[in-house]
């Protein structure tokens, strides 16, 4: 099989990204409490390191994207995975707070080089049908949490948090080997293609469509991380039973994957332009429903459905839709710029909602505020669609 055929891109990228997110991102939330108990650090101190890592990954998105445009994706994907493995091993030996912050600086670099952005840049550059390939990849990676949350929890229970990190460090070497082998024969861009890529990047930054997509994806990021951090306490505050809260939150993953599966079946009949518009309209609808619906499990199912479908489809639109609307030339740098613009809203989302909660003594206005952000995002996507350049 051709190592860079569409089928190979689906298999290889789904493997590297599922393991990469499962080892480099998902374990943090499960490590916080064991580290607090073992090391005596505060939750704010631990989360500060994570925040720095996420910010650094956003700052590096543009230079990493330009590297992929100019030299291909083998080096960042493979060596970024090696760096991630080394940082997990160092984390396992950490007992000083300053060293933990250095670990997350290294993991920020690993996120920027080994995870979603550069992987999608490679797919867009090499795939014959980028949207179909990306949809298939996201179908698989949608199960990363389903696989790794119980796996990491089990490893912590069986081997302690340090032992779990050693095992995850070993697992993270598999994406490195896979990426190095898969792209060993991929042809690097020619000097002419590099010049065209640089010119396309500069030209794209001046297009209204770029800024429309930037605001749209920033709004989605703000809403997504805010709900991720606060939905459980919001539903508890509304008076739902614990079983209802857990089930509503748990439905997000399967519904998200189902939406991606439906898009995959639709294939070339579905334009990411209209898929993106539909998803961006569903997002504020979901939040308006959350704000106005009675606090009962059945009444909140439409919220979960609309939110999960929108979230699942926008992951694909962020990758494939950018290529369709802005073009494939300079894609790595362009998506890096989009990621950089979204990194501050992604970082500020949880703390902003927390401050609203403290100021008002509850979450009452939060769904309405997030819905307004969603409307802004939908309007921005319409702006991107109206740019015919």
């Amino acid at each position: 099989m051709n190592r860079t055929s569409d089928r190979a891109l689906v298999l290889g990228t789904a493997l590297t990204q599922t393991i990469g997110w499962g080892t480099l991102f998902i374990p943090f939330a499960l490590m916080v409490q064991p580290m607090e108990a073992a090391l005596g650090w505060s939750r704010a101190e631990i989360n500060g390191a994570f925040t720095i890592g996420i910010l650094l990954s956003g700052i590096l998105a543009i230079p990493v994207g330009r590297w992929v445009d100019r030299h291909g994706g083998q080096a960042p994907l493979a060596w970024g995975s090696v760096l991630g493995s080394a940082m997990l091993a160092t984390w396992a030996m950490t007992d000083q707070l300053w060293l933990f912050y250095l670990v997350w600086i290294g993991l920020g670099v690993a996120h920027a080089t080994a995870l979603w952005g550069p992987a999608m840049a490679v797919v867009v550059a090499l795939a014959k049908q980028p949207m179909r390939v990306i949809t298939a990849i996201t179908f698989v990676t949608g199960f990363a949490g389903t696989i790794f949350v119980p796996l990491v929890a089990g490893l912590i229970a069986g081997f302690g948090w340090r032992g779990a990190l050693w095992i995850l460090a070993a697992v993270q070497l598999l994406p490195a080997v896979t990426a190095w082998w898969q792209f060993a024969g991929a042809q690097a861009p020619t000097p002419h293609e590099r010049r065209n890529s640089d010119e396309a990047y500069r030209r794209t930054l001046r297009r209204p469509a770029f800024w429309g997509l930037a605001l749209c994806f920033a709004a989605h990021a703000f809403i997504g991380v805010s709900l991720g951090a606060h939905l459980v306490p919001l539903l508890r505050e509304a008076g739902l039973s614990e079983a209802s809260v857990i089930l509503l939150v748990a439905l997000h993953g399967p519904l998200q994957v189902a939406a991606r599966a439906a898009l995959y079946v639709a294939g070339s009949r579905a334009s990411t332009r209209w898929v993106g518009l539909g998803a961006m309209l569903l997002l504020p609808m979901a939040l308006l429903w959350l704000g106005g619906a009675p606090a009962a499990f059945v009444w909140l199912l439409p919220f979960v459905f609309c939110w999960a479908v929108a979230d699942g489809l926008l992951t694909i639109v962020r990758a494939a839709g950018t290529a369709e609307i802005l073009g494939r030339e300079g894609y790595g740098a362009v998506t890096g710029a989009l990621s950089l613009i979204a990194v501050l809203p992604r970082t500020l989302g949880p703390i902003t909602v927390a401050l609203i909660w403290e100021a008002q003594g509850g979450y009452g206005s939060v769904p309405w505020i997030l819905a307004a952000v969603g409307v802004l995002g939908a309007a921005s996507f319409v702006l991107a669609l109206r740019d015919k350049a």
Side-chain angles (χ1 to χ4, degrees), residues 6 11 13 83 87 110 119 157 160 186 198 291 311 329-330 349 356-357 366 382:
D6 281 9
L11 295 174
T13 308
L83 174 63
M87 289 300 97
D198 290 343
D311 207 26
E329 284 189 312
I356 294 170
W357 178 84
V366 167
V382 172

Side-chain angles (χ1 to χ4, degrees), residues 35-126:
M35 290 179 66
E36 285 177 335
L39 301 173
W41 301 342
S42 72
R43 189 160 300 188
E45 288 172 331
I46 295 172
N47 278 275
F50 178 78
T51 300
I52 288 174
I54 298 302
L55 282 171
L56 181 59
S57 70
I59 292 169
L60 292 176
I62 294 177
V64 171
R66 297 193 74 173
W67 172 278
V68 175
D69 289 338
R70 295 175 63 85
H71 305 286
Q74 183 190 40
L77 290 171
W79 289 112
S81 296
V82 172
L83 174 63
S85 175
M87 289 300 97
L88 290 172
T90 306
W91 184 358
M93 298 182 287
T94 297
D95 57 7
Q96 297 293 325
L97 187 61
W98 65 267
L99 181 56
F100 182 61
Y101 274 69
L102 286 181
V103 164
W104 269 98
I105 289 172
L107 284 172
V109 177
H111 283 196
T113 51
L115 293 183
W116 195 251
M120 291 303 100
V122 171
V123 168
V124 167
L126 299 178

Side-chain angles (χ1 to χ4, degrees), residues 1-17:
M1 181 175 64
N2 182 346
R3 295 181 186 181
T4 56
S5 66
D6 281 9
R7 182 183 177 189
L9 286 171
V10 170
L11 295 174
T13 308
L15 175 69
T16 60
Q17 294 304 296

